[in-house]
Amino acid sequence: MKPIISLSPHVHGGDSVQKNMYGVCIALVPALIASLWFFGLGAAIVLTTSVVSCVFFEWAISKFILGRNACTILDGSAILTGLLLGFNLPSNLPIWIIVIGALFAIGVGKMTFGGLGQNPFNPALVGRVFLLISFPVQMTTWPEVNQPLAYTDATTAATPLSIMQEAITSGDPTVLSKLPSFMDMFHGVTGGSLGEVSELCLLVGCLFMLWRKIITWHIPVSILGTVALFAAVLHACNPVYAMPTQVLCSGGLVLGACFMATDYVTSPMTAKGQIIYGICIGLLTVIIRNWGAYPEGMSFSILIMNAFTPLINTYCKPQRFGEEVKK
């Protein structure tokens, strides 16, 4: 087929930073409702504090440190960072720790590099990993679900990931019998961070983004497929490792695969590069979860592969139009 090339004006696709950012925020609404349903007051406090803090710090840094007159808080990126940071936190985290995480996410993870479009790492994950390293006790104390009025005094319980790690450490596969049922894990009746509660709601949001063409299938499918395959092989070799269905519904795997690994700025540009990127994230996640010091490896895996994104882009460049292939 002969391509038709014409002079300007060209038809605009209608996409914009603001439209896509708010599109992702809309896709997170089902998971947000689920987190409020299961964690109640705690979820409301954590998410509100995270979003307001991220928006404030982006405005303050832009105006008083970088000296920019243009307001960037309305493009939706700071709101999205606040939502994603909040989804990676437990519902009983003290407000002052959330504010510190928001400052680190926006100030170090984003504005230090010049703002939106120039940050090499996902800002929400930068804030989350900083808090995990700085406040490990508070960040790994998980309240039980269905405590709508509880906040700092919520009853805590073990998460599916901690049970899986206990089984691996003890070498006793019977420990896995403590895991909730698949349907409970899929619908969100388990402990964990706000974004771990309902895989169903997260997948609904992912389908919405695919329908709106905000993201493509390459990264989510390659991550989830790699994790499922790796987990199936491990479970077949040794029953001390959980079944693939349990692994897929545990932790922040679906949240990371659909909403954080797909970040435009920090992920590869080509379909081939995105598949390589997703496969590597899936492999690293399973390795860190099973043999690392932390039960959850999704955040670390995405940040590690964020660092390799420029290299992947370099070696997965599409052929330029009209270029002759060198023998």
Side-chain angles (χ1 to χ4, degrees):
M1 183 178 69
K2 184 178 180 180
I4 299 174
I5 302 175
S6 64
L7 299 175
S8 59
H10 302 293
V11 177
H12 192 276
D15 279 344
S16 66
V17 171
Q18 188 173 12
K19 180 180 177 181
N20 287 335
M21 290 297 170
Y22 284 114
V24 179
C25 291
I26 292 171
L28 284 168
V29 168
L32 187 149
I33 294 172
S35 66
L36 294 174
W37 176 266
F38 288 117
F39 292 111
L41 179 62
I45 292 174
V46 169
L47 290 171
T48 302
T49 303
S50 180
V51 171
V52 171
S53 299
C54 284
V55 172
F56 169 77
F57 286 129
E58 177 155 332
W59 170 80
I61 292 171
S62 296
K63 185 172 181 64
F64 298 108
I65 297 179
L66 300 181
R68 296 176 180 174
N69 293 323
C71 182
T72 60
I73 60 174
L74 299 179
D75 63 11
S77 62
I79 296 174
L80 180 57
T81 298
L83 282 174
L84 291 176
L85 176 62
F87 275 123
N88 279 277
L89 304 177
S91 63
N92 62 345
L93 196 66
I95 290 176
W96 63 274
I97 295 181
I98 303 171
V99 173
I100 292 174
L103 174 60
F104 201 86
I106 296 296
V108 177
K110 183 179 180 181
M111 303 307 290
T112 295
F113 299 98
L116 181 65
Q118 302 178 65
N119 50 289
F121 302 99
N122 186 294
L125 289 180
V126 170
R128 194 257 179 182
V129 169
F130 171 77
L131 292 182
L132 183 62
I133 295 172
S134 303
F135 307 98
V137 176
Q138 294 91 331
M139 285 290 291
T140 54
T141 303
W142 309 106
E144 289 183 342
V145 296
N146 297 323
Q147 300 181 79
L149 299 179
Y151 175 45
T152 55
D153 58 344
T155 305
T156 58
T159 64
L161 283 178
S162 62
I163 295 172
M164 292 177 188
Q165 192 174 59
E166 181 186 350
I168 296 171
T169 304
S170 64
D172 183 7
T174 60
V175 174
L176 295 176
S177 62
K178 301 177 184 177
L179 286 173
S181 67
F182 169 75
M183 294 307 296
D184 281 348
M185 295 175 69
F186 186 69
H187 289 115
V189 192
T190 59
S193 65
L194 301 182
E196 297 177 13
V197 290
S198 178
E199 317 306 324
L200 174 62
C201 293
L202 292 170
L203 292 175
V204 169
C206 182
L207 291 175
F208 172 80
M209 291 192 294
L210 291 170
W211 173 62
R212 291 286 301 273
K213 297 183 180 179
I214 297 173
I215 64 171
T216 61
W217 61 267
H218 303 86
I219 292 176
V221 171
S222 58
I223 292 176
L224 298 177
T226 301
V227 171
L229 180 60
F230 199 173
V233 171
L234 290 175
H235 181 71
C237 295
N238 190 341
V240 76
Y241 298 104
M243 293 186 295
T245 52
Q246 296 170 321
V247 174
L248 289 173
C249 290
S250 61
L253 181 63
V254 176
L255 176 67
C258 298
F259 291 94
M260 291 185 289
T262 53
D263 176 36
Y264 291 151
V265 181
T266 59
S267 61
M269 295 181 290
T270 63
K272 179 182 177 182
Q274 289 173 0
I275 292 174
I276 295 172
Y277 173 81
I279 291 173
C280 292
I281 289 175
L283 290 173
L284 287 171
T285 299
V286 177
I287 290 171
I288 295 172
R289 279 186 173 188
N290 290 331
W291 300 293
Y294 293 99
E296 177 61 279
M298 195 64 189
S299 299
F300 295 100
S301 302
I302 295 175
L303 289 176
I304 290 170
M305 291 311 301
N306 285 166
F308 282 92
T309 293
L311 186 64
I312 294 174
N313 284 332
T314 299
Y315 287 96
C316 293
K317 287 182 179 178
Q319 182 182 345
R320 288 178 296 198
F321 181 73
E323 181 183 13
E324 294 184 2
V325 179
K326 296 180 180 179
K327 295 183 180 180

